Amino acid sequence: YCMEFIYPITFILHDETIITIENNSEEGWEELKNWYEENPNIEFDWNLQYPVDIQLEDGNITTVNSLSEIELIKQSCE
């Protein structure tokens, strides 16, 4: 990808569970994965707590306020 999250990032899940990933470690993502495995009827959704800072491929840091903004950035990478 041409962007990376700047940690920490927080997900707000369907049952109001809050999972904060402090850094891009397997442990943080594992907690999120486990929640979805324990709730198989819920499809994964990017329920990030916005705003979120991301670092672009050129090193610039930008703040995004929605999933649609992230998708626009990803499309501009392709």
Side-chain angles (χ1 to χ4, degrees):
Y1 293 108
C2 65
M3 64 178 195
E4 292 183 17
F5 288 109
I6 298 193
Y7 294 87
I9 58 173
T10 299
F11 288 87
I12 303 171
L13 305 177
H14 295 274
D15 66 353
E16 305 299 320
T17 296
I18 295 174
I19 295 178
T20 299
I21 300 176
E22 296 294 334
N23 55 48
N24 194 13
S25 69
E26 191 173 312
E27 179 181 309
W29 289 102
E30 193 71 23
E31 183 179 357
L32 185 64
K33 179 183 163 206
N34 289 341
W35 187 91
Y36 277 98
E37 286 176 353
E38 293 169 6
N39 296 277
N41 296 331
I42 298 176
E43 192 172 313
F44 180 76
D45 193 5
W46 284 96
N47 294 322
L48 285 170
Q49 180 178 332
Y50 293 98
V52 173
D53 290 333
I54 58 172
Q55 183 171 4
L56 304 173
E57 194 171 39
D58 64 6
N60 287 321
I61 294 174
T62 190
T63 300
V64 293
N65 295 295
S66 67
L67 178 58
S68 60
E69 288 183 25
I70 291 174
E71 289 173 345
L72 285 172
I73 292 170
K74 284 173 60 176
Q75 287 175 0
S76 71
C77 297
E78 300 170 355

